[in-house]
Amino acid sequence: MSALEHQHQTDRSRVRRALNASLAGVLLLWLCFAAQQGFDWRFLAVMPQAAAGLVGLLTAPLLHGSVAHVLANTTALLLLGTLAGTAYPKASLRALPLLWLGSGLGAWLLGQAGSHHLGASGITHGLGFLVFVLGLLRRDRAAIAAGMIAFLFYGGMLMSVLPREAGVSWESHLGGALAGIVAAFLFRRSDPRPARQKYSWELEEEFEAEQARRKAEDGFGTFETRAPDDVPVLWQREAPPEARSQVLPFRRRE
């Protein structure tokens, strides 16, 4: 197996693992949403500035208020989770607890007293900001591409961290976004940089430089051979004795 084929196989394996992990997270959200239809779940949500509401830091991301709510987070979690897990598997895994708690703390500290905050949108905002900021910090081609994809699909997250729509927990969005930024700085070196593939013109320049180096060392071109110092004479025409040391007469010019 060539190095290129091995790299392609490794990339496919990373995408598959990231997608499977995102699917598992989505399945957990839907199972919890189905289960919460059978009991009063409000004590598991984040209740700002209340000691009892601190329980929601652990449980609120698993709760959703409607099918549309959980469906919106399903789409974001599938895309951003797969993208983050593919580009930064180690950083994403280490950042997840920080994003989880950060979204809840944002709601608990900034939310209005007496309200209930729930949903995984704070985590999805954290993933979006994590991928985008890591692209700015690492600046390799894979990181920049991942950041551009995240911004293309969810660039609106930059505005949803501010109060815009009633009933939307911008506080948890902001908490998750800040946690994503902090996690990007903390874990930016968790994943090794991918091997940089060279452009064709770079390979040509390296080839020409190697030719010049060999030419300078040998004194000849790369594909030229050095002439031997002593070439044996295999055949020589023997001149007649009378022709040896003979001077040809020339007519004098008058």
Side-chain angles (χ1 to χ4, degrees):
M1 180 184 296
S2 65
L4 184 60
E5 291 176 346
H6 177 71
Q7 184 63 39
H8 288 169
Q9 184 176 359
T10 302
D11 292 341
R12 287 193 293 268
S13 178
R14 290 176 67 172
V15 174
R16 186 165 52 250
R17 288 196 301 267
L19 178 59
N20 290 339
S22 300
L23 287 172
V26 167
L27 179 60
L28 179 61
L29 293 185
W30 282 95
L31 289 176
C32 291
F33 178 72
Q36 73 182 79
Q37 308 306 314
F39 67 97
D40 186 2
W41 47 264
R42 286 178 294 180
F43 72 99
L44 296 176
V46 174
M47 291 177 283
Q49 298 144 34
L54 290 173
V55 177
L57 298 183
L58 301 177
T59 57
L62 300 175
L63 306 175
H64 290 82
S66 64
V67 173
H69 188 196
V70 69
L71 187 60
N73 286 332
T74 293
T75 306
L77 184 59
L78 276 178
L79 178 60
L80 294 174
T82 302
L83 185 61
T86 300
Y88 318 105
K90 293 181 180 179
S92 301
L93 185 61
R94 295 172 183 177
L96 184 58
L98 189 60
L99 305 182
W100 193 290
L101 295 177
S103 63
L105 280 174
W108 192 84
L109 293 173
L110 302 175
Q112 185 178 0
S115 60
H116 294 78
H117 296 254
L118 64 158
S121 55
I123 296 177
T124 59
H125 277 67
L127 288 173
F129 276 79
L130 174 71
V131 173
F132 184 70
V133 176
L134 280 176
L136 297 177
L137 294 176
R138 291 169 59 100
R139 288 181 291 181
D140 55 77
R141 283 188 288 181
I144 293 173
M148 291 179 65
I149 293 173
F151 186 77
L152 176 65
F153 286 96
Y154 290 98
M157 287 181 173
L158 295 174
M159 299 301 299
S160 58
V161 298
L162 300 174
R164 297 180 59 195
E165 183 179 350
V168 175
S169 179
W170 65 270
E171 298 92 345
S172 64
H173 296 175
L174 179 60
L178 293 177
I181 295 173
V182 172
F185 279 93
L186 291 177
F187 308 124
R188 64 185 182 275
R189 296 188 179 91
S190 297
D191 297 281
R193 292 181 180 272
R196 179 179 176 272
Q197 296 182 358
K198 297 181 180 179
Y199 294 102
S200 59
W201 57 268
E202 291 178 301
L203 297 176
E204 292 175 0
E205 287 183 352
E206 290 182 358
F207 179 73
E208 293 175 358
E210 180 66 17
Q211 279 187 317
R213 185 186 65 80
R214 292 183 180 180
K215 185 175 181 180
E217 291 178 355
D218 300 340
F220 294 90
T222 305
F223 300 105
E224 296 178 1
T225 58
R226 183 186 295 274
D229 297 330
D230 186 13
V231 180
V233 179
L234 301 180
W235 177 80
Q236 184 176 3
R237 180 179 178 182
E238 193 71 29
E242 62 274 8
R244 300 174 183 176
S245 304
Q246 183 178 359
V247 178
L248 297 179
F250 290 89
R251 294 177 59 185
R252 297 182 62 181
R253 181 178 298 177
E254 297 179 359

